Amino acid sequence: PQERLQIAISGQAGAQRAFDEAVKFTKDRKAFRQTVFDFQNTRFTLANLKAKLQAGWAHLDWCTARHLQGELTAAEASAAKLFHTELQWEVCDAALQLHGGAGYMNEYPIARLWRDARVQRIYGGTSEIMKEVVARSL
Ligand SMILES: Cc1cc2nc3c(=O)[nH]c(=O)nc-3n(C[C@H](O)[C@H](O)[C@H](O)COP(=O)(O)OP(=O)(O)OC[C@H]3O[C@@H](n4cnc5c(N)ncnc54)[C@H](O)[C@@H]3O)c2cc1C
């Protein structure tokens, strides 16, 4: 459980950083005489991600408190790893998309954040195995 919680925390942190990079970039980048941030699609995408990140931080507080009490179960830790690494992938991919072509270039932090997010759904047990562990506990 501790290893999976640690990966979940790094997933949430990576997602938050990617989100912050997307906000910064879209407020700076101009297209069609306005900033990319001003497009409704950008604002709605970021608002959706913000809501998920907010819920994610609260969930990690709950997991950490349970772990400190020695009560975090294997199924709960697996659910946390599944949720936060899949969220990391969703946020990083959306944040890269908002960067346009710049997102694919190593000069921008989002390229590395996106690449590093991919393996999080594999090591420490794949997302499919996390689902197996959770399903067995039902
Ligand atoms: C960068 C990196 C660092 C790593 N570090 C460590 C480490 O420090 N210590 C360590 O022990 N391991 C480490 N690993 C190994 C990692 O834990 C395994 O790669 C991971 O658990 C997946 O196992 P596998 O590669 O054998 O894939 P496989 O088990 O061959 O899986 C292949 C595919 O089949 C799916 N699959 C397998 N079984 C099932 C099933 N029952 N139901 C549904 N789908 C299934 C998987 O989800 C996956 O999509 C590391 C891997 C990487 C990439």
Side-chain angles (χ1 to χ4, degrees), residues 119 122-126 128-129 132:
V119 77
I122 295 173
Y123 60 21
T126 64
E128 292 74 26
I129 295 301
E132 270 298 321

Side-chain angles (χ1 to χ4, degrees), residues 55-67:
W57 285 118
H59 177 245
L60 280 183
D61 283 347
W62 177 82
C63 289
T64 305
R66 279 183 69 74
H67 182 55

